[in-house]
Amino acid sequence: MSVPVVTLKVTESQQSLLIQKPASGLSLQGSIRVPGDKSISHRALMLGALAQGETQIRGLLLGEDPRSTAECFRALGAEISELNTELVRVKGIGSGQLLEPHDILNAGNSGTTLRLMLGILASHPGRFFAVTGDSSLRSRPMSRVVQPLQQMGATIWGRKGNSLAPLAIQGQQLKPITYNSPIASAQVKSCILLAGLMTEGQTTVIEPALSRDHSERMLKAFGAQVSQNPENNSVTVTGLAKLSGQSVIVPGDISSAAFWLVAGAIVPDSELLIENVGVNPTRTGILEALGMMGADIQLENEREVAGEPVADLRVRHSGLKACQISGDIIPRLIDEIPILAVAAVFAEGTTVIRDAAELRVKESDRISVIASQLNLMGAKVTELPDGMEIVGGTPLAGTDVDSHTDHRITMSLAIASLNASGTTTINGAEAASISYPNFTTTLQQICGQA
Ligand code: S3P
């Protein structure tokens, strides 16, 4: 088999990923493992820090985002051992017991770190905190968490009417609320639940559609009282429970597996087995969407590991057809829409994605960035205010594209380039390390290059 040349060029200022597709004969093969789930990794570190006793975390994601969480919670007084995938030990300091750090807490590129941590900090009376992030995070909306926290009595200051980081927080004794969230966001929901954890009484969040429920599952496992009502997508936490340290086993991240699912589906004669992937039903929208498009994906060896459903995913190449994606499935595949757009580029017919305006306030404006970068390669993607229209079936040609410092854009473009003639150069490829530090190595492996 002739193989594409996948090369990483490293300069002082950035990394560029070069993918040179051979004229014929590329097929992707192999068994791979994806890194630990990012959402679960953040929550394990945070709840471990708030619990009494030791939490042991196996399979933690070693990406930049969980590293930001670990740094913040070390500064808040938790003892967190060196991060590795085998075993991380967190010696918790107890809920309500976090220390006032001597410096500004930096969440880096991570919205989950900043938004969830805000709920925790705002409910720590008598301490003052300052939080910030990188230039992407400092431009992302924080009023979605600041406003409900203010309803609970929180004191938070920031730029643009307290809506942008850097933020300053004077911790307070909060009061419980019932919050009708206008958006289906696990970050908003989790922020309020974590504030409710340290607030006497019952704090409830109602969502317009169900978002990922990792916080609910893990809070229960750590000993908090959490009840869910699927009829109105509400969740209630009872405050002032003591958390106790647990053993957490982090499954592989379905958001990272999604790149290989699409790669296996679009590259002729491919077959990939992705082992140990989390298949929590609040995250499996991508499997349903690719299924609607005619992808050949099988779940094997389905099991439950430490309170989360897990499976091995086998994907084989198949012709894809267009589909329509909107409504309640959107929060269940929100992070996978850039790679879904890549699948749609190679599908027959016109795919329409709607109700996904949230993509405009992710690590980049993912609607505008994925559309513009795929169009540079010859795709026909039209931006909609809340989604995209993608006319499939136009052949792509390699060219220079840019990640816009967004990890999921980098990896989506790399998969698109496997089906584009010539050489694609993805500038700003270092962004992948936010959620997938070994992405290039795995790409080389399945292309038969490693
Ligand atoms: C996350 C929730 C999602 C997702 C993000 C991780 C989480 O964000 O996009 O990558 O871990 O709670 P929203 O809740 O803001 O949609």
Side-chain angles (χ1 to χ4, degrees), residues 38-39 43 112 115 144 184-187 212 334-335 362:
K38 183 156 77 67
S39 295
R43 287 159 173 79
T112 308
R115 294 198 177 113
R144 57 183 56 201
S185 160
Q187 292 181 356
R212 65 193 68 192
I334 189 72
D335 290 341
K362 293 291 178 187

Side-chain angles (χ1 to χ4, degrees), residues 9-300:
K9 255 202 193 161
V10 182
T11 68
E12 237 173 64
S13 57
Q14 70 166 5
Q15 294 182 6
S16 297
L17 187 58
L18 273 69
I19 297 174
Q20 188 179 7
K21 184 183 186 304
S24 65
L26 170 64
S27 83
L28 310 176
Q29 306 290 335
S31 292
I32 51 185
R33 279 189 168 238
V34 288
D37 187 280
K38 183 156 77 67
S39 295
I40 297 175
S41 295
H42 284 303
R43 287 159 173 79
L45 289 165
M46 289 186 190
L47 294 195
L50 292 176
Q52 279 167 348
E54 185 178 278
T55 287
Q56 302 184 343
I57 311 171
R58 292 177 173 81
L60 188 87
L61 167 64
L62 300 184
E64 295 302 324
D65 274 9
R67 287 187 192 282
S68 296
T69 294
E71 271 315 301
C72 289
F73 281 83
R74 280 181 183 133
L76 290 161
E79 273 179 47
I80 303 175
S81 69
E82 200 192 317
L83 301 192
N84 62 67
T85 49
E86 282 77 49
L87 177 60
V88 174
R89 293 179 192 276
V90 182
K91 223 194 244 171
I93 174 159
S95 47
Q97 304 302 315
L98 294 181
L99 308 177
E100 181 177 285
H102 299 146
D103 207 343
I104 299 167
L105 297 165
N106 193 334
N109 190 244
S110 175
T112 308
T113 306
L114 188 44
R115 294 198 177 113
L116 270 57
M117 190 165 64
L118 272 179
I120 295 171
L121 303 181
S123 54
H124 267 73
R127 285 85 150 171
F128 178 82
F129 308 95
V131 295
T132 191
D134 71 5
S135 61
S136 155
L137 189 54
R138 279 183 274 118
S139 69
R140 295 178 65 186
M142 292 301 143
S143 38
R144 57 183 56 201
V145 285
V146 170
Q147 278 173 4
L149 288 173
Q150 285 172 333
Q151 283 180 30
M152 296 178 79
T155 310
I156 302 172
W157 303 268
R159 294 181 299 131
K160 294 249 165 79
N162 308 324
S163 70
L164 292 179
L167 297 168
I169 302 111
Q170 178 63 59
Q172 304 282 356
Q173 191 62 63
L174 302 182
K175 53 182 190 296
I177 56 167
T178 293
Y179 185 64
N180 251 302
S181 178
I183 41 176
S185 160
Q187 292 181 356
V188 171
K189 173 174 65 177
S190 305
C191 166
I192 301 165
L193 292 178
L194 288 167
L197 194 65
M198 277 162 284
T199 302
E200 199 172 348
Q202 295 199 318
T203 297
T204 299
V205 184
I206 305 167
E207 302 190 272
L210 187 62
S211 66
R212 65 193 68 192
D213 68 356
H214 304 299
S215 296
E216 294 88 313
R217 287 174 188 252
M218 207 183 284
L219 277 167
K220 280 184 204 165
F222 274 72
Q225 209 183 310
V226 176
S227 60
Q228 287 147 290
N229 181 354
E231 267 165 35
N232 65 348
N233 296 322
S234 74
V235 50
T236 299
V237 66
T238 303
L240 301 184
K242 292 243 178 303
L243 304 184
S244 43
Q246 297 296 315
S247 166
V248 180
I249 303 172
V250 184
D253 198 328
I254 191 167
S255 298
S256 299
F259 300 109
W260 311 125
L261 291 175
V262 172
I266 64 172
V267 176
D269 300 321
S270 297
E271 177 168 346
L272 296 172
L273 180 68
I274 312 150
E275 292 173 330
N276 190 45
V277 181
V279 287
N280 178 316
T282 60
R283 297 286 299 282
T284 47
I286 183 66
L287 299 181
E288 288 156 43
L290 290 173
M292 280 191 265
M293 297 176 86
D296 177 358
I297 298 172
Q298 277 159 22
L299 271 69
E300 298 176 2

